[in-house]
Amino acid sequence: MTPPRSSAPARSSSEARGASGARAGRVDSDDDINDVVEQLKVNGLEVEVDHKRHRNTVPNDSGWASIRTAMEDIKAPQAWDIHTGASSSSSPIVCVIDGGINYNHPDLKANMHPLIGYDALSNKQGSGVMDQDGHGSHCSGTIAGVGNNAAGITGVSWGAKLVGCRFMDKNGEGYDSDAIECICWCRQQGAKITSNSWGGSDTNQALLDEMLLSEAAGGLFIVASGNEGTDTSLTPSYPGSYAVPSVIHVSAVDPQNDKVPSWSN
């Protein structure tokens, strides 16, 4: 049934979000949203709150001006000696679930999939996925910035094909129902890898169900651990804290000592 939201653009209660059968709707009420959920459950409906998610903030310290140390830490140069990922007919499709991608960026354009992407906020495919705050483009550059082109940066894979699915607005906020739609859309396009640099403290069964459908299809769910400086074994951050085999939980590393910095989960 519908995950009701207390403040969001109105949606039809019959609008499906993802292949798991979740539907999004709006509850127009001055009552506490949790009380409304409990009342609906009494009527035999399966209801969850449509929680708002937020992006993980990119640190602005000077170390981010260069990616060399980070790339060496993950042994990227050694991997590139074997294969850079460029000019390969078998290059994987990576779907960046975020706030969009600047698909015209000179370091991303050549690696964009012809589909470009999908905007779950407007239900439009293609140019509607243009990044509005740079966060999704930053993640995309790390994944597959064009390498060895004497410009910009180099991504981990020089030739992975990028598609974007936008579910967050220009303020870096988005709802589970739109994230669910993005996970479903990415899977339908054949993307076996999704990048998810976002999260929140609330659980959502419909979100987990959609992730499990992608796992069953052979997908990997790469998710940031978060930048709140907490231990996620004690203070979980979802979706990264779901105990799903296909989830790869990624934390930051201090290049000076190869330890998790204080601001990273």
Side-chain angles (χ1 to χ4, degrees):
M1 175 51 194
T2 63
R5 62 184 69 177
S6 55
S7 58
R11 279 206 183 101
S12 166
S13 61
S14 63
E15 185 176 349
R17 316 297 284 181
S20 61
R23 295 177 178 273
R26 174 173 175 162
V27 173
D28 293 316
S29 173
D30 293 329
D31 296 335
D32 180 85
I33 187 63
N34 293 311
D35 290 341
V36 175
V37 168
E38 292 307 313
Q39 292 170 15
L40 291 171
K41 286 182 177 179
V42 170
N43 294 327
L45 301 176
E46 294 184 10
V47 183
E48 294 180 277
V49 175
D50 195 0
H51 300 292
K52 182 179 287 187
R53 305 289 168 173
H54 61 274
R55 70 169 176 267
N56 297 308
T57 303
V58 177
N60 60 6
D61 49 313
S62 61
W64 287 93
S66 172
I67 63 171
R68 176 177 176 177
T69 301
M71 289 294 185
E72 290 178 345
D73 279 349
I74 65 172
K75 303 295 191 292
Q78 290 91 323
W80 293 332
D81 284 342
I82 300 171
H83 203 301
T84 63
S87 302
S88 173
S89 58
S90 60
S91 293
I93 301 173
V94 180
C95 193
V96 180
I97 300 175
D98 207 285
I101 298 179
N102 181 356
Y103 46 82
N104 288 324
H105 191 285
D107 237 9
L108 298 176
K109 188 174 182 178
N111 282 345
M112 291 300 303
H113 190 280
L115 287 172
I116 300 178
Y118 178 75
D119 181 6
L121 302 181
S122 64
N123 298 321
K124 294 181 179 178
Q125 187 165 299
S127 60
V129 77
M130 175 59 75
D131 196 354
Q132 296 186 22
D133 68 355
H135 187 262
S137 298
H138 168 86
C139 296
S140 299
T142 302
I143 297 165
V146 178
N148 204 34
N149 66 346
I153 64 167
T154 295
V156 174
S157 172
W158 296 4
K161 293 305 176 185
L162 295 165
V163 290
C165 193
R166 187 166 83 94
F167 88 100
M168 292 188 288
D169 60 22
K170 63 182 179 181
N171 297 315
E173 297 180 331
Y175 288 96
D176 286 342
S177 54
D178 293 317
I180 289 168
E181 185 174 7
C182 276
I183 296 170
C184 179
W185 183 87
C186 293
R187 182 174 67 250
Q188 291 171 345
Q189 312 318 309
K192 297 296 186 181
I193 304 170
T194 62
S195 168
N196 307 271
S197 188
W198 47 273
S201 60
D202 301 294
T203 63
N204 187 296
Q205 185 62 45
L207 178 63
L208 175 57
D209 288 344
E210 199 68 37
M211 292 168 60
L212 291 172
L213 287 173
S214 290
E215 179 181 79
L220 290 175
F221 202 82
I222 316 301
V223 58
S225 63
N227 297 335
E228 291 76 38
T230 61
D231 182 347
T232 55
S233 66
L234 302 175
T235 307
S237 177
Y238 299 96
S241 292
Y242 285 126
V244 177
S246 59
V247 169
I248 298 177
H249 212 178
V250 181
S251 296
V253 173
D254 187 333
Q256 302 301 318
N257 56 24
D258 284 338
K259 295 182 178 180
V260 177
S262 61
W263 48 263
S264 178
N265 293 351

